[in-house]
Amino acid sequence: MEKKYSSNNCCPEKENIFRLFHEISPAQIKVVILGQDPYHLPGVADGIAFSNKKEGHLPATLKNIFLELSSDLNCPMLDTESSNLLPLVKEGVFLLNTTLSVDSGQPLSHFELWEEFTSSLIDYLMSKKKNIV
């Protein structure tokens, strides 16, 4: 990982790779939603799948998440200007990308680095919490 970050522009910033794990404990997790990998544009990925830190940046998948929450689930619309999904995480939604980092502009470029980690993590969560969706 050190080599990737020292020789390439990577997303998210190194200090945000494990941000999701700092925002929610395993005991708080009610639902797991998997994404592919972080947004691969510089300055967008924030360490939480589908969420981003670029003001006004609303990718299609994130727009659909907001629409589903608003209409189908009768939930209040999240702050679409900030594109921040931290409120969902705080409610127990574990928004995990199966690949936690990526080279800028190259989707799935770090897949081999994370495949075993995320697979083991999902197995662990499912073995410890039988009521996770």
Side-chain angles (χ1 to χ4, degrees), residues 6 32 41 50 78 83 88 96-97 112 117 124:
S6 65
V32 175
L41 299 172
F50 308 108
L78 293 174
S83 303
L88 284 178
L96 177 69
N97 279 314
E112 73 285 349
F117 173 82
Y124 171 81

Side-chain angles (χ1 to χ4, degrees), residues 1 5 8-14 16-17 37-47 99-106 109-110 114:
M1 181 58 56
Y5 270 79
N8 299 316
N9 272 338
C10 298
C11 305
E13 290 87 359
K14 191 174 171 183
N16 285 330
I17 293 173
D37 54 10
Y39 296 117
H40 51 88
L41 299 172
V44 177
D46 69 1
T99 301
L100 300 185
S101 63
V102 65
D103 287 339
S104 181
Q106 297 180 37
S109 54
H110 294 187
W114 296 108

Side-chain angles (χ1 to χ4, degrees), residues 73 95 128:
L73 302 177
L95 296 170
K128 295 297 179 189

Side-chain angles (χ1 to χ4, degrees), residues 15-96:
E15 62 272 10
N16 285 330
I17 293 173
F18 293 105
R19 178 178 175 220
L20 177 63
F21 300 87
H22 296 286
E23 301 290 355
I24 188 172
S25 71
Q28 295 171 297
I29 298 171
K30 300 174 189 170
V31 176
V32 175
I33 299 177
L34 299 176
Q36 177 178 294
D37 54 10
Y39 296 117
H40 51 88
L41 299 172
V44 177
D46 69 1
I48 297 172
F50 308 108
S51 182
N52 77 77
K53 62 183 181 177
K54 187 174 179 183
E55 291 292 321
H57 184 71
L58 195 61
T61 303
L62 185 53
K63 184 177 182 179
N64 287 335
I65 290 170
F66 286 148
L67 288 172
E68 288 294 325
L69 287 170
S70 177
S71 63
D72 291 351
L73 302 177
N74 198 25
C75 293
M77 194 73 155
L78 293 174
D79 181 3
T80 58
E81 285 302 310
S82 72
S83 303
N84 180 358
L85 296 180
L86 185 57
L88 284 178
V89 172
K90 295 301 184 183
E91 292 295 322
V93 181
F94 195 65
L95 296 170
L96 177 69

